[in-house]
Amino acid sequence: AAAGRPVDEEVSSDSEPESPSLGRRRREAAEEEVEETPQEKKLRLAKLYLEQLRQHEEERAAAEEEETQPADLIGDRLKEDVLEQKGRLQRLVAKDVQPPDPASIRMLRGHQLPVTCLVISPDDRFIFSASKDGSLIKCKWEVESGKRLCVVPGGKKGTEERHMGHASHVLCMAISSDGKYLATGDRNKLIMIWDAATCKRLHIFTGHRDAVSGLSFRKGTHQLYSASHDRCVKVWNVAENAYVETLFGHQDVITGLDSLSRECCVTAGGRDGTVRLWKIPEESQLVFYGHQGSIDCIQLINEEHMVSGADDGSLALWGLTKKKPLALARQAHGMQDAQGLQQPYWISAVAALRNSDLLATGSHSASVKLWKCGEGFRKLEPLWDIPLVGFVNSLKFSAAGDFLVAGLGQEHRLGRWWRVKEAKNGICIIPLKQRAAAPSSEAPDSS
C-alpha cells in the first residue's frame, strides 16, 4: 500500500489502530492472494488504501464534531468566521485602483541610514519603522499628521541591557493583531518585545544563533514566530515571555516569514531555493519550488495563497496545495546594466492587501509596481508603476487598503551590493484611490 501513496502525502509516524472490518478484508485478501495476477493485486491494494483514507477522514471529522459540540457558541463563531473569510476572498479591488498622483505621495524623513522594515498598526493610525542605524522605533509615526511620536535610540554592541534600543541593524518587525505588542529582530541575534503604545521595552528573547530576519505574530494571539540566518524557525509566547519550540528544515539563511490565523507560518529560504509552509502542531513542513535565485521576501495573501519575490527578478504566486507556482512573472521589474552585464532587478519587497487580488512589489528600479491576481490566482497582471527612487526594503498595505507604505534606503536591507546615491532614506506613504463603483467594492473590508 505504501507504494501507492501520493507523493505529496504526509505520513505520520504514529501508529493507528486497524479497524476490525479492514483487518478482516486483509485476511480474506491474503487467502485469495495465491490466485491473483500482479494487476489484480495492484488494484486490490489501491482499493484498500483508498478505503483506509476514507475511514481516516470520517474518524477525523467525527472527532472534530465531538470537540466542537460542547462549545456551541465557539462553533457558531467559527462558522461565521469561515463564511466571512470566504466572502473576503472574493474582494476584487485591483480593477478599481487608480494610479496615484506623484504629488500626493508623502515622504517621512528621520532615519539616517536605510529603512529596513516597517509595520502599520491594526487601526491604520500609526507606522513603526526601523533602520540600519540601530535606532529601533526611530520611529513611531502618526499617519494623518506625519509627526514622529517616539524615537528609541540605539547603542553599541553589548550594551543592550543598559539602554532601550538595539545595538545593531534591525532587520524585521511585527505587531500583534490587537496592537498591544511590537517585536523587533536584529543582526545581533536578539528579539526585543515592546509596548506599542508607550514604546517601552518589555522583554528580550535570546536563542537564535545568527541574525533574526523574519518576525510575525499569529493573528488573534500573542504567539510569535521568528526566522533567522541560523536556518531555523522559533515559536514564542510573548504574553508569558516564554520560548516554545524550534523547527528545522531550511538549507540556507531564512530571509522572510509571514503568518495569519492558522497555527502555521510560511518562510522564504534564500539560496536553498525553497518556500516552506510550517505546520506548528504537527512539527511538519511542506516544501515549494519555483524560483531560480535567492528568495528574499514572502507574504500570505489569504490562508490558501501567498506571494514571493527573488533576486532573479521573478514574482511567484502560490497555492498551498500545489508545490509549483500558480503564476510566475519573470523579470517583474525589468533588467539593469550591472558592470556591463544585463541582470534582472531584484525583488526586494512584496506586499498583499489581505484577502484581495491586489499586490505590490519593490526593487531598486525607481518604482513600486502594483499587480492584480487573475481569476483563481492563476495569473499576475501588472497594473501601475509608482515612481520611487532607492531600494524598497519593505512594503505594507493599510488594513483598509486606502494607502501603501514603502520603506526606502540607499542600500538593500541585508547588504551593500549597490548604493543608490540619489535615494533618500525614509518612509513613503502612497494614497490609493479607487474608481467610483458598486458600494461593495468602494471601501475594502478593513477586518
Side-chain angles (χ1 to χ4, degrees):
R5 297 187 195 277
V7 176
D8 291 350
E9 186 201 0
E10 291 181 56
V11 182
S12 171
S13 61
D14 298 328
S15 59
E16 297 179 359
E18 189 178 72
S19 66
S21 61
L22 191 57
R24 184 173 62 255
R25 281 195 296 275
R26 282 182 172 165
R27 287 195 298 275
E28 291 171 356
E31 292 172 0
E32 299 172 1
E33 190 172 358
V34 179
E35 302 174 5
E36 284 181 326
T37 65
Q39 290 78 9
E40 289 172 337
K41 182 177 179 181
K42 285 180 183 178
L43 181 61
R44 176 177 57 78
L45 291 176
K47 287 180 178 179
L48 280 174
Y49 177 58
L50 290 172
E51 175 67 14
Q52 188 178 15
L53 281 181
R54 186 187 64 78
Q55 287 192 357
H56 176 70
E57 288 298 319
E58 288 178 355
E59 290 168 3
R60 189 178 70 171
E64 288 177 355
E65 184 178 354
E66 186 176 340
E67 287 176 3
T68 56
Q69 276 177 353
D72 293 335
L73 187 61
I74 296 175
D76 291 342
R77 178 64 183 273
L78 286 173
K79 288 176 184 176
E80 289 174 7
D81 287 348
V82 168
L83 290 173
E84 186 183 358
Q85 178 79 356
K86 286 181 177 177
R88 290 203 303 268
L89 293 183
Q90 306 303 318
R91 268 203 301 155
L92 306 178
V93 301
K95 65 182 182 348
D96 296 321
V97 174
Q98 293 181 307
D101 178 2
S104 67
I105 299 174
R106 290 186 291 156
M107 182 79 172
L108 307 183
R109 299 291 305 278
H111 291 285
Q112 301 302 312
L113 294 178
V115 174
T116 54
C117 53
L118 60 86
V119 292
I120 305 172
S121 63
D123 59 9
D124 287 347
R125 292 180 57 204
F126 306 105
I127 298 168
F128 297 87
S129 62
S131 78
K132 289 188 176 183
D133 54 21
S135 52
L136 154 64
I137 316 171
K138 181 144 187 138
C139 299
K140 177 180 180 180
W141 309 85
E142 188 175 54
V143 173
E144 186 175 356
S145 67
K147 290 181 179 178
R148 191 170 60 188
L149 302 179
C150 177
V151 177
V152 180
K156 294 183 179 180
K157 187 174 180 180
T159 65
E160 290 88 353
E161 294 294 339
R162 298 198 297 274
H163 66 82
M164 287 286 287
H166 287 271
S168 60
H169 298 177
V170 181
L171 299 181
C172 54
M173 62 169 52
I175 192 167
S176 58
S177 54
D178 61 0
K180 183 176 181 180
Y181 295 113
L182 181 74
T184 53
D186 68 16
R187 277 200 177 277
N188 199 27
K189 317 169 194 175
L190 300 180
I191 299 170
M192 294 190 183
I193 307 299
W194 309 79
D195 183 314
T198 64
C199 297
K200 180 182 178 182
R201 193 177 73 199
L202 304 175
H203 193 68
I204 299 179
F205 286 134
T206 59
H208 279 296
R209 300 188 306 277
D210 206 335
V212 181
S213 53
L215 289 168
S216 180
F217 279 95
R218 181 185 171 198
K219 188 177 178 182
T221 75
H222 292 145
Q223 187 175 60
L224 177 69
Y225 305 123
S226 65
S228 168
H229 288 184
D230 65 10
R231 308 180 185 185
C232 72
V233 173
K234 289 184 183 290
V235 185
W236 316 82
N237 185 324
V238 170
E240 298 180 7
N241 292 336
Y243 160 80
V244 180
E245 62 180 315
T246 301
L247 304 171
F248 299 93
H250 276 294
Q251 303 302 307
D252 192 39
V253 300
I254 303 176
T255 54
L257 176 147
D258 195 24
S259 67
L260 282 175
S261 299
R262 292 181 182 173
E263 201 168 356
C264 62
C265 62
V266 294
T267 53
R271 297 212 168 273
D272 76 2
T274 68
V275 165
R276 296 183 187 234
L277 168 69
W278 304 81
K279 299 182 178 181
I280 308 300
E282 296 93 335
E283 296 186 9
S284 65
Q285 57 191 287
L286 296 179
V287 185
F288 304 82
Y289 297 91
H291 292 288
Q292 301 300 313
S294 175
I295 308 171
D296 283 358
C297 45
I298 189 166
Q299 188 169 12
L300 284 160
I301 302 170
N302 53 45
E303 298 285 8
E304 301 295 335
H305 300 90
M306 59 185 170
V307 62
S308 61
D311 71 359
D312 63 0
S314 62
L315 176 69
L317 190 58
W318 309 82
L320 298 187
T321 58
K322 302 285 185 182
K323 291 198 170 185
K324 296 290 184 181
L326 299 177
L328 187 68
R330 302 186 186 277
Q331 301 172 16
H333 277 252
M335 301 290 285
Q336 64 175 324
D337 186 10
Q339 298 177 346
L341 297 175
Q342 286 292 308
Q343 295 181 356
Y345 281 104
W346 296 7
I347 307 298
S348 53
V350 294
L353 178 56
R354 302 288 195 193
N355 305 307
S356 83
D357 62 344
L358 183 61
L359 305 177
T361 58
S363 182
H364 61 289
S365 60
S367 69
V368 164
K369 287 180 178 285
L370 294 184
W371 301 78
K372 174 187 174 183
C373 298
E375 187 176 352
F377 294 92
R378 295 187 176 275
K379 185 187 276 187
L380 281 165
E381 302 172 19
L383 293 175
W384 313 106
D385 284 13
I386 303 168
L388 285 181
V389 178
F391 277 88
V392 181
N393 289 323
S394 187
L395 281 172
K396 290 288 186 296
F397 282 101
S398 64
D402 55 353
F403 64 90
L404 173 68
V405 182
L408 293 177
Q410 294 181 335
E411 302 167 353
H412 189 281
R413 74 182 183 107
L414 296 178
R416 305 185 68 180
W417 298 282
W418 291 286
R419 184 176 178 85
V420 182
K421 294 181 180 180
E422 61 273 22
K424 296 178 180 177
N425 300 317
I427 296 165
C428 279
I429 301 178
I430 305 163
L432 298 175
K433 294 183 180 181
Q434 294 197 341
R435 297 185 184 91
S440 60
S441 60
E442 243 173 43
D445 184 0
S446 62
S447 54

